[in-house]
Amino acid sequence: MRLLVTGGAGYIGSHTVVELLEGGHDVVVVDDLSNSSEVALDRVAGLTGRRPEFRRVDLVDNDVLASVFDDGPYDCVLHFAGLKAVGESVEQPLRYFRTNLIGTLNLLTEMDRAGCRDLIFSSSATVYGAPQALPLIETHPTGGTTSPYGRTKHMIEEICYDVAATGAGWRIALLRYFNPVGAHLSGRIGEDPKGIPNNLVPYVLQVAVGRRPHVDVFGNDYPTSDGTGVRDYLHVVDLAKGHLAAMENIDRFEGARAVNLGTGSGNSVLDVINGFAEASGRRIAYEFADRRPGDVPELYADPSLAAELLGWKAERGLAEICADGWAWQSANPNGYASD
Ligand code: NAD
Ligand code: WQD
């Protein structure tokens, strides 16, 4: 199949492009490189022996996007492009709404014009807001989101349901990721955040590699096993394979349908720090700090719908996440700038 991948130079996109190329598909990547590096695509080419076609495109620019579709057709679109930092979205809500919403509206418009109506969208567990019950199941109410970023994901889901309801033959997979972490098994591609990492795993890795002195553990008085926050950490290669499974089973998404992609079990902040200490053989200094506003104590998925619809389940646990994440970070202490 010929596939259009928006945001394909980014963290999850680049890992998915590897799986798509290895699956024999042709891939066109569009990305504005606002949060990524073209080096990631060079590395993808090195790993797979095939170079994805690349076009530097800002999805907010509808004319340029239209020209990408003029060079179609595409059998399916995988839509990763967007801004994703929760804290930054509180500071810059207009930028988040503009990029995530207008970018997606432009994409849906061009897909409709081109008659390409199969879409796989990067949604997020953030659409559930604070969980009323665990594990989180797809029927849990959505919309109780606490940040502009989260609201963009929820709004895009709602837009997709409305577009699908036109009966024009849309098949939209709304994949609700839990906490994607880790790196490709080769250590050649991985997460390379710009500036200070917002998320736990890249922060821990930068401490392990000596770029930062210690990790602040946000809260040690939660009602969890060791008092620190619990999340469902999902290996990025498992997540990438989930996209392939969604594409292969797109007929099960007639209209639009949401599916969780998570492991089904949780790990605490201290589990993560200890896992990376073991994988790296290094001491990872940490200090307990105040809770981070907006955080919930515990979050993990019920992944049974993904197993039933897609035949997909996560195969890698925290030990593989830490080993592969460390292999990436130790070989690339400054991310893609190490080249
Ligand atoms: P990322 O920032 O590494 O990748 C996003 C890519 O989109 C980047 O390469 C960036 O340059 C590109 N981009 C941003 N704005 C663009 C625009 N206007 N036009 C074209 N390209 C643009 O992030 P990621 O972690 O790979 O996330 C991919 C998707 O998954 C995002 O939509 C994110 O919201 C979603 N998601 C991520 C997580 C996570 O924890 N990483 C969890 C749930 C959902
Ligand atoms: C994990 C745990 C923190 C950093 C975010 C988004 C979510 C989704 C995934 C996109 C929590 C603790 C963190 C640190 C810490 N993204 N922590 N010290 O908040 O579960 O999810 O990424 O859709 O929408 O909100 O991930 O990695 O930031 O935090 O103690 O320096 O680590 O309190 O318990 P989170 P995270």
Side-chain angles (χ1 to χ4, degrees):
M1 288 206 277
R2 186 154 189 263
L3 309 169
L4 183 68
V5 181
T6 78
Y11 171 47
I12 303 168
S14 58
H15 287 80
T16 305
V17 170
V18 168
E19 300 300 320
L20 297 172
L21 291 170
E22 285 178 345
H25 300 289
D26 295 323
V27 175
V28 177
V29 167
V30 291
D31 198 303
D32 68 354
L33 302 180
S34 56
N35 197 38
S36 53
S37 160
E38 211 176 331
V39 176
L41 296 177
D42 297 338
R43 302 261 183 113
V44 166
L47 283 172
T48 61
R50 298 177 62 208
R51 175 166 285 279
E53 201 180 316
F54 172 62
R55 292 183 63 172
R56 188 165 185 168
V57 172
D58 178 350
L59 292 191
V60 174
D61 185 337
N62 203 29
D63 292 343
V64 181
L65 186 60
S67 74
V68 172
F69 277 86
D70 291 341
D71 296 339
Y74 307 102
D75 297 295
C76 181
V77 177
L78 294 95
H79 179 32
F80 297 94
L83 301 174
K84 65 161 182 179
V86 173
E88 187 181 65
S89 79
V90 176
E91 308 292 324
Q92 303 173 23
L94 290 173
R95 182 169 162 242
Y96 271 69
F97 288 120
R98 184 176 158 76
T99 304
N100 292 4
L101 296 183
I102 297 181
T104 304
L105 288 173
N106 287 345
L107 182 67
L108 289 166
T109 304
E110 290 309 317
M111 288 180 68
D112 198 34
R113 189 174 66 86
C116 167
R117 300 197 177 89
D118 287 350
L119 173 68
I120 296 176
F121 172 63
S122 302
S123 189
S124 167
T126 193
V127 300
Y128 294 118
Q132 293 169 9
L134 289 168
L136 277 159
I137 185 164
E138 288 82 353
T139 49
H140 182 286
T142 58
T145 43
T146 52
S147 72
Y149 165 73
R151 273 186 277 284
T152 68
K153 291 293 173 191
H154 181 245
M155 286 175 185
I156 292 168
E157 285 201 356
E158 297 297 309
I159 290 167
C160 287
Y161 287 121
D162 283 342
V163 166
T166 59
W170 288 88
R171 300 186 294 187
I172 306 180
L174 304 167
L175 302 183
R176 293 178 179 158
Y177 314 158
F178 279 67
N179 288 59
V181 287
H184 191 261
L185 281 59
S186 63
R188 293 291 293 159
I189 55 172
E191 188 168 14
D192 181 22
K194 291 201 158 103
I196 301 170
N198 299 296
N199 299 111
L200 178 66
V201 168
Y203 205 105
V204 169
L205 279 169
Q206 291 193 5
V207 173
V209 87
R211 279 171 68 180
R212 301 190 187 276
H214 73 271
V215 187
D216 278 326
V217 174
F218 298 143
N220 64 341
D221 56 354
Y222 283 116
T224 58
S225 57
D226 61 20
T228 67
V230 167
R231 296 290 182 275
D232 186 333
Y233 295 99
L234 172 65
H235 196 299
V236 67
V237 172
D238 281 330
L239 177 58
K241 289 178 189 291
H243 291 75
L244 223 68
M247 223 174 62
E248 284 159 3
N249 292 285
I250 197 74
D251 53 324
R252 302 192 159 195
F253 289 87
E254 222 133 291
R257 191 164 188 184
V259 178
N260 288 339
L261 294 183
T263 67
S265 56
N267 284 111
S268 72
V269 175
L270 294 182
D271 290 337
V272 170
I273 292 175
N274 291 333
F276 279 106
E278 198 164 313
S280 64
R282 298 190 177 186
R283 198 179 88 80
I284 295 173
Y286 65 86
E287 288 176 11
F288 291 122
D290 289 344
R291 292 180 177 192
R292 185 172 63 178
D295 274 354
V296 298
E298 203 168 5
L299 207 66
Y300 52 92
D302 179 338
S304 48
L305 184 61
E308 185 191 319
L309 275 190
L310 313 179
W312 174 92
K313 73 178 177 53
E315 282 167 0
R316 295 160 183 81
L318 188 60
E320 286 101 331
I321 285 169
C322 296
D324 298 337
W326 174 243
W328 150 254
Q329 193 73 66
S330 53
N332 305 273
N334 294 307
Y336 292 116
S338 309
D339 252 19

